[in-house]
Amino acid sequence: MFNIYKTSNKPNDPFIIGKIGSAHGILGMVKLFSFTENKNDIFKYYPWFTKKENQWIILDLEYKKNNKNFFLIKIKNIKNRNQAKELTHCHIIIEKKTLPILKKNEYYWNDLINFKIISDTGSYLGKIDKFLQTKSNDILVIKNYGKNMGKQEILIPFIENEVIKNVDIINKTITVHWNPIFE
């Protein structure tokens, strides 16, 4: 591991804004996938942290290049492909306080993870596990461990007022107009 990056500082209120993909080339570059709404906004928030083998690490960006579906980045002091491979699948984490303050009834996707999903007919559908981004709309990935439903995922498009009827931040629930096959 890169001892020069280890830090005793842990980010306050860690917030994931991206993920490092595979190594690219021989000079230590990696692919970067941004989870921010505007992909370029990931570069507005610093410092970047990641966690590897229970150690917090500060990542210092040296170079970036925009690609079609991801960025190519170079982290300072990463000299070769083998060092870059050690960062594969690490999350890019910032302190949540560096994000813009939200208006009333606004939220970050990350805040909705583990919210309960209830259909507008009153059926419990599961909890939000993650989000998928598509060209047309974002998708809620619901993990469902109900007795009669078996272990399965439900994919629900995040289309406000059509599918997403209510987001209740206080009770951590989202009401959806959705009728899965098992319902």
Side-chain angles (χ1 to χ4, degrees), residues 10-26:
K10 175 186 176 211
N12 295 322
D13 202 6
F15 194 85
I16 297 170
I17 62 167
K19 187 173 186 176
I20 296 175
S22 61
H24 181 82
I26 61 171

Side-chain angles (χ1 to χ4, degrees), residues 53-102:
E53 298 169 5
N54 289 323
Q55 290 284 324
W56 284 100
I57 301 164
I58 294 178
L59 301 176
D60 204 1
L61 186 65
E62 184 176 298
Y63 169 81
K64 68 174 179 159
K65 179 182 177 186
N66 196 356
N67 209 318
K68 185 177 179 181
N69 296 316
F70 56 87
F71 295 98
L72 286 176
I73 62 168
K74 174 95 171 65
I75 303 295
K76 286 184 183 174
N77 298 321
I78 302 295
K79 305 288 185 207
N80 59 53
R81 184 177 184 85
N82 289 337
Q83 288 179 324
K85 279 182 175 181
E86 291 187 46
L87 294 174
T88 299
H89 303 300
C90 286
H91 285 111
I92 300 294
I93 300 167
I94 61 168
E95 292 183 328
K96 190 171 182 180
K97 70 181 179 184
T98 63
L99 294 170
I101 296 172
L102 298 175

Side-chain angles (χ1 to χ4, degrees), residues 105 107 112 115 158 160 164-169 173-175:
N105 297 323
Y107 38 81
L112 303 180
F115 270 40
F158 197 95
E160 291 184 281
I164 305 301
K165 294 301 184 179
N166 184 46
V167 177
D168 184 343
I169 300 294
T173 60
I174 297 177
T175 304

